[in-house]
Amino acid sequence: GNVKLKIFNLLGEEMVTLFNEYTLPGQYNVVWDGHNSMGIAVPSGVYFYQLSADRYINTGKMILLK
């Protein structure tokens, strides 16, 4: 199905969409380089990721350290 992976800051603002494609079931790796959608480096801190696929949504917390 269609899979999306987005990164948000603590205020809930979307920083970047890392993945938005139709994929087959399996394991995938995605690396975030610490930049927002405009290519600007974001500061170290706490961020949230949201992974959605069809009717499945998973949100988690992560720390970006530079």
Side-chain angles (χ1 to χ4, degrees), residues 1-21:
N2 190 47
V3 177
K4 292 182 187 177
L5 178 60
K6 296 182 177 188
I7 306 294
F8 298 89
N9 65 12
L10 283 174
L11 300 175
E13 300 168 330
E14 184 179 327
M15 296 285 97
V16 66
T17 299
L18 295 177
F19 196 83
N20 185 12
E21 295 181 20

Side-chain angles (χ1 to χ4, degrees), residues 30-52:
V30 178
V31 177
W32 180 36
D33 63 1
H35 290 80
N36 64 16
S37 59
M38 296 176 6
I40 300 169
V42 299
S44 296
V46 177
Y47 291 88
F48 294 94
Y49 65 86
Q50 183 180 65
L51 176 65
S52 61

